[in-house]
Amino acid sequence: MCFCILSMKPLMFACLFGWLMCVGVNAAHPNLKPYPPADVGYVRYVIELPELVDESLRQVELLVGKTVMTDSVNRHFFGGKLTREVISGWGFNYYELKRLGPMAGTLMAPDPNAPSVERFVPVRHDLGLLRYNSQLPIVVYVPEEVEVNYRIWTTEPKLVEAKIQ
C-alpha cells in the first residue's frame, strides 16, 4: 500500500513517483506472483489470453524458435527440449527451453541462384496443444536469443457423432 502527504511541493513529486511505482508493480500481471523471474541469460515470456464465453472451443499452440535466414525450399527446425514444469506448492504449469539446439531440415536442393529468405524456425516439441485458460497466464522461459509465438486453434461447437460398426 502506498501512502503520501502532499503538503510540500518537493515531496509531491517524490510521492507521485512512489505512488506510480506502487500502482505499476501491483497492477502488472497479478497472476505472475508464483512464477520466478528469469535466470541470467534467459527471458520470461508471458501470454495472457482474453476471457471467452466458451473457452473449451479453443486451444493454444506454442511456437518457440528463432527467426533466421534459410533457403525457400527446405523445411527447417531447431533441436531442443521444451519441457512442462510445475511450480511446487501452486500446481501451476510453466514451460522451459534450457538450450536451443542445432538447426536441421530437409535436404531438397534449392536453386543456387535463389535468394535466402527470413523465416521463423521452430523448436520441435511434443507438448501438443495447450488448454485455453484465460484465468492463468502461459509462462515460457527461454534463452535470450529465442522467440516465443503462439497460435489460437478453434473449433465449431457442433459435435459430430461417430458410427458404430
Side-chain angles (χ1 to χ4, degrees):
M1 187 178 235
C2 296
F3 294 97
C4 186
I5 298 172
L6 298 176
S7 60
M8 296 196 256
K9 205 169 197 178
L11 281 177
M12 184 171 16
F13 292 111
C15 287
L16 181 60
F17 178 74
W19 180 78
L20 287 173
M21 290 301 292
C22 287
V23 169
V25 168
N26 292 333
H29 306 299
N31 293 328
L32 287 180
K33 185 177 182 179
Y35 297 95
D39 291 336
V40 175
Y42 289 83
V43 177
R44 178 176 70 182
Y45 282 88
V46 177
I47 301 169
E48 293 190 75
L49 302 170
E51 190 173 340
L52 301 173
V53 174
D54 188 357
E55 294 184 354
S56 70
L57 299 177
R58 307 279 169 93
Q59 291 188 313
V60 181
E61 177 186 12
L62 274 182
L63 298 161
V64 177
K66 190 174 178 181
T67 302
V68 295
M69 297 301 287
T70 66
D71 60 64
S72 61
V73 177
N74 289 292
R75 299 185 80 174
H76 298 86
F77 59 90
F78 279 106
K81 184 157 177 73
L82 186 62
T83 59
R84 180 186 327 238
E85 307 293 336
V86 178
I87 299 174
S88 111
W90 291 84
F92 297 157
N93 292 328
Y94 66 91
Y95 304 91
E96 186 173 39
L97 179 70
K98 296 266 189 207
R99 185 179 69 79
L100 186 66
M103 189 169 78
T106 57
L107 296 174
M108 296 188 293
D111 179 356
N113 298 325
S116 294
V117 294
E118 189 175 57
R119 281 195 177 151
F120 177 79
V121 177
V123 172
R124 283 195 161 167
H125 62 79
D126 58 355
L127 293 175
L129 297 177
L130 310 178
R131 185 175 149 242
Y132 190 106
N133 181 1
S134 63
Q135 301 304 308
L136 290 174
I138 298 172
V139 179
V140 185
Y141 297 91
V142 295
E144 288 178 340
E145 74 273 6
V146 176
E147 306 166 37
V148 175
N149 296 297
Y150 67 98
R151 279 192 194 111
I152 303 296
W153 290 82
T154 187
T155 187
E156 297 294 322
K158 182 182 176 190
L159 298 176
V160 179
E161 187 177 336
K163 298 190 189 288
I164 299 173
Q165 292 189 350

